[in-house]
């Protein structure tokens, strides 16, 4: 596994490109130090032998299927948007 | 003016109180409290109420919970101006019983904090000492509960301790129910698998009363438990109750004076007929790491939805989608939100996912199993709510992120396991409140609540 447990500037830039965040140089420097400290503590988990299945929820969650019926929408999904045309959200150019 | 919830309900029932005049007075008093302590992000100028067993009772709602027609920001600028066209199920349940929503309470952005200082809007100040924090992230809810000179109960929310911490720091009662007990529909999620809506009240009765209204199955939340609500105010005796005292919750990092107060509370439980025994929960030491990885992994996916087009912060549309999306997120999110998005994205990246996210979930299984084994022998576990008393704002400024995260060491295990827990005031250190945390098995809220009521009654 490459660079496991290490956060450098290159890694941080890669993460921010995935997470769609623009950081200033000052933020990059600060986060690099702070996040490395956090990751070092996260690595404490390595001491624990884990054979158990992961718990995605704290209690058992059952899949529940509802009837395939049309339910009237009581509100306008566009009501909080400043960017729409007709009944559609209007976004910046994607492709 | 009446200050107690019980007394208020009696007065309304007997027809001695004009609900409209009362509402007007509550708004005026709320404005005064806002000037002194800043518990609100939004104050409702003309609150209304329906009919029901808590007719006209002032209810505040944490700002991460949607309220129809009232701005809801989750404490973040990226949701600035968002006015939900619907109520969260918890809010509609409170309204169904007659509750009157008086405002939206301050919080750390999206719940990302232990002290209500990572706030894009107001930072609540502790009514016991305004140089100190109210705790977080439901800091506004606890602040208002402690300061209100009128009957009031808060709808709050916890992911890793956001009800317990502020309740302990402000001398109020916080109930975090079992995961799934209260519908999350209409909650602006931080971490879906750990978020729980609960209550904060001045007394155990108050917090339990509102929980009875909020609870119950909701088909709009796929994780809602198919368990009917119950009357959580029917407390009962604790004679013969088996109480476990986890020694890890009294470890070196816990202020000795806080531990001493809680130990004296345990003696009171014994004098009331409970049998107490020291136990060990060794996985407590790994709670912080596994909690934060799980929480930030889920948070970073939840926060991916904020693109500045459908609601909240929006700008003039220029450039392509990538640059617009990144620009909105970079200006709309605060420092702690960015920190958690970056960490959560990192923990879920290809190549690292098994080492961080999946590993954290496996440790969570160990924590759940550890609690389950304890609740075969004990009815409740009792410990300090927080390792310290409410810190001053200048002390908080000096904390590094990891030091701040470590303050959650006593609250993350029960939150990861989704077990119900109550924080009840137990004493004071340096004139600041200390809370006792009472944990119970899944859906055994009533056990934790009756112990809290016994502690409260014996004070």
């Amino acid at each position: 596994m490459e660079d496991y447990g290490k956060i450098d500037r290159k890694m941080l830039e890669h993460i921010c490109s995935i997470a769609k965040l623009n950081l200033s140089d000052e933020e990059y420097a600060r986060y690099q130090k702070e996040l490395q400290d956090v990751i070092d503590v996260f690595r404490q988990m390595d001491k624990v032998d884990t054979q158990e299945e992961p718990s995605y929820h704290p209690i058992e969650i059952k899949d529940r299927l509802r009837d395939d019926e049309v339910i009237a929408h009581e509100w306008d999904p566009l009501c909080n948007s400043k960017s729409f045309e007709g009944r559609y959200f209007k976004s910046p150019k994607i492709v | 003016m009446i200050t107690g919830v019980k007394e208020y309900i009696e007065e309304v029932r007997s027809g001695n109180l004009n609900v409209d005049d009362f509402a007007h007075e509550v708004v005026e008093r709320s404005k005064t409290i806002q000037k002194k302590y800043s518990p609100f992000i939004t104050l409702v100028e003309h609150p209304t109420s329906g009919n029901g067993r808590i007719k006209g009772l002032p209810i505040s709602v944490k700002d991460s919970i949607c309220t129809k027609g009232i701005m809801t920001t989750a404490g973040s600028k990226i949701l600035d101006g968002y006015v939900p066209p619907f109520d969260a199920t918890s809010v509609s349940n409170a309204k169904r019983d007659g509750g009157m929503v008086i405002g939206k309470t301050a919080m750390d952005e999206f719940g990302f904090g232990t002290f209500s200082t990572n706030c894009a809007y107001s930072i609540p100040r502790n009514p016991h000492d305004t140089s100190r924090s109210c705790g977080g992230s439901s800091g506004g809810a606890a602040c208002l509960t402690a300061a209100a000179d009128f009957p009031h109960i808060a709808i709050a929310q916890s992911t890793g301790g956001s009800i317990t911490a502020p309740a302990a720091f402000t001398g109020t009662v916080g109930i975090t129910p079992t995961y799934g007990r209260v519908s999350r529909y209409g909650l602006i999620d931080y971490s879906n698998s750990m978020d729980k809506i609960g209550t904060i009240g001045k007394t155990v009765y108050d917090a339990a009363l509102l929980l009875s209204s909020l609870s119950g199955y909701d088909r709009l939340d796929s994780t809602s438990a198919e368990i009917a609500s119950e009357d959580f105010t029917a407390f009962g005796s604790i004679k013969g109750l088996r109480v476990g005292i986890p020694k890890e919750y009294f470890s070196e990092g816990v202020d000795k004076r806080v531990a001493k107060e809680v130990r004296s509370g345990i003696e009171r439980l014994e004098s009331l007929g409970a049998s107490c025994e020291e136990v060990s929960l060794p996985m407590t030491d790994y709670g912080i790491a596994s909690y934060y990885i799980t929480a930030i992994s889920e948070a970073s996916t939840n926060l991916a939805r904020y693109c500045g087009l459908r609601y909240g912060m929006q700008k003039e549309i220029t450039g392509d989608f990538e640059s617009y999306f990144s620009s909105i997120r970079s200006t709309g999110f605060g420092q702690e939100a960015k920190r958690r998005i970056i960490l959560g994205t990192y923990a879920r990246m290809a190549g690292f996912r098994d080492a961080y996210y999946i590993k954290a979930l496996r440790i969570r299984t160990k924590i759940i199993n550890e609690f389950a084994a304890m609740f075969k022998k004990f009815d409740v576990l009792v410990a300090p709510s927080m390792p310290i008393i409410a810190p001053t704002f200048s002390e908080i400024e000096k904390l590094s992120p990891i030091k701040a995260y470590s303050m959650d060491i006593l609250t993350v295990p029960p939150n990861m396991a989704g077990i119900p827990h109550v924080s009840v005031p137990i004493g004071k250190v340096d004139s600041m409140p200390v809370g006792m945390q009472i944990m119970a098995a899944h859906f055994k809220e009533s056990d934790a609540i009756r112990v809290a009521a016994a502690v409260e009654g014996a004070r």
Side-chain angles (χ1 to χ4, degrees), chain A residues 16-77:
Chain A
C16 288
S17 73
I18 296 171
K20 309 296 176 211
L21 290 173
N22 304 325
L23 298 190
S24 64
D25 283 340
E26 184 273 325
E27 284 178 312
Y28 271 119
R30 183 156 44 85
Y31 283 149
Q32 193 179 326
K33 163 81 177 72
E34 289 173 353
L35 300 184
Q36 188 62 61
D37 289 348
V38 175
I39 295 288
D40 290 345
V41 171
F42 286 177
R43 295 287 301 272
Q44 285 175 359
M45 295 195 309
D46 293 350
K47 295 184 214 159
V48 185
D49 177 29
T50 46
Q51 304 298 322
E52 293 78 3
E53 288 296 310
S55 288
Y56 291 92
H57 285 93
I59 58 170
E60 190 186 347
I61 303 291
K62 292 179 193 160
D63 286 333
R64 284 189 288 247
L65 301 178
R66 63 170 171 78
D67 293 336
D68 188 15
E69 58 187 1
V70 177
I71 298 169
H73 215 48
E74 291 175 0
W75 67 83
D76 178 5

Side-chain angles (χ1 to χ4, degrees), chain B residues 92-325:
Chain B
S92 56
N93 284 355
K95 285 183 175 178
R96 174 203 62 209
D97 286 351
M100 176 175 75
V101 174
I102 60 167
K104 303 302 293 290
T105 50
M107 58 182 289
D108 290 288
E109 182 175 13
F110 291 106
F112 299 155
T114 307
F115 305 112
S116 291
T117 47
N118 299 324
C119 303
Y121 301 89
S122 56
I123 294 177
R125 295 182 291 277
N126 198 312
H128 294 270
D129 175 352
T130 53
S131 70
R132 293 179 186 269
S133 158
C134 286
S137 65
S138 307
C143 175
L144 178 63
T145 306
D149 51 354
F150 52 82
H152 155 264
I153 315 174
I155 302 180
Q157 178 272 336
S158 173
T159 304
S162 289
I163 290 176
T164 295
F169 286 169
T170 59
T172 54
V173 177
I175 304 180
T176 308
T178 309
Y179 180 84
R181 172 70 94 167
V182 176
S183 168
R184 291 185 300 110
Y185 177 73
L187 169 68
I188 297 169
D189 277 316
Y190 163 4
S191 175
N192 309 48
S193 80
M194 288 189 277
D195 293 341
K196 287 124 349 226
I197 291 175
T199 58
I200 297 179
K202 257 198 169 75
T203 67
V204 177
Y205 172 84
D206 297 359
L209 178 73
L210 186 57
L211 183 66
S212 302
S213 287
L214 305 190
S215 301
Y217 172 65
D218 179 15
R219 71 178 184 88
L220 297 174
D221 172 6
S222 62
T223 59
S224 171
E226 290 185 62
I227 293 179
S229 184
E230 55 189 272
D231 178 8
F232 294 112
T233 64
F235 301 142
S237 160
I238 63 160
K239 197 168 180 186
L241 201 83
R242 300 161 302 164
V243 180
I245 318 292
K247 64 179 182 185
E248 290 80 4
Y249 285 63
F250 293 84
S251 62
E252 274 180 22
V254 178
D255 184 327
K256 286 188 171 51
R257 300 166 302 167
V258 168
K260 191 179 165 198
E261 289 296 318
V262 176
R263 292 233 184 251
S264 70
I266 292 166
E267 286 170 16
R268 277 179 248 164
L269 292 179
E270 284 179 318
S271 71
L272 291 169
S275 61
C276 302
E277 186 185 322
E278 187 171 273
V279 299
S280 178
L281 292 169
M283 291 308 297
T284 305
D285 291 346
Y286 302 100
I288 290 290
S290 51
Y291 164 77
Y292 271 93
I293 289 171
T294 308
I296 59 177
S297 296
E298 294 184 13
S300 63
T301 59
N302 278 322
L303 267 52
R305 76 185 61 155
Y306 301 109
C307 62
L309 290 173
R310 293 165 296 171
Y311 40 70
M313 178 185 275
Q314 294 165 57
K315 294 180 180 177
E316 188 185 346
I317 291 181
T318 53
D320 61 13
F321 188 80
E322 289 274 317
S323 61
Y324 178 81
F325 191 26

Side-chain angles (χ1 to χ4, degrees), chain A residues 22 31 48 53 81-82, chain B residues 309 314 330 335 359 362 365:
Chain A
N22 304 325
Y31 283 149
V48 185
E53 288 296 310
S81 179
K82 294 173 187 163
Chain B
L309 290 173
Q314 294 165 57
S330 302
Q335 293 296 314
K359 179 88 178 178
R362 291 185 199 280
T365 304

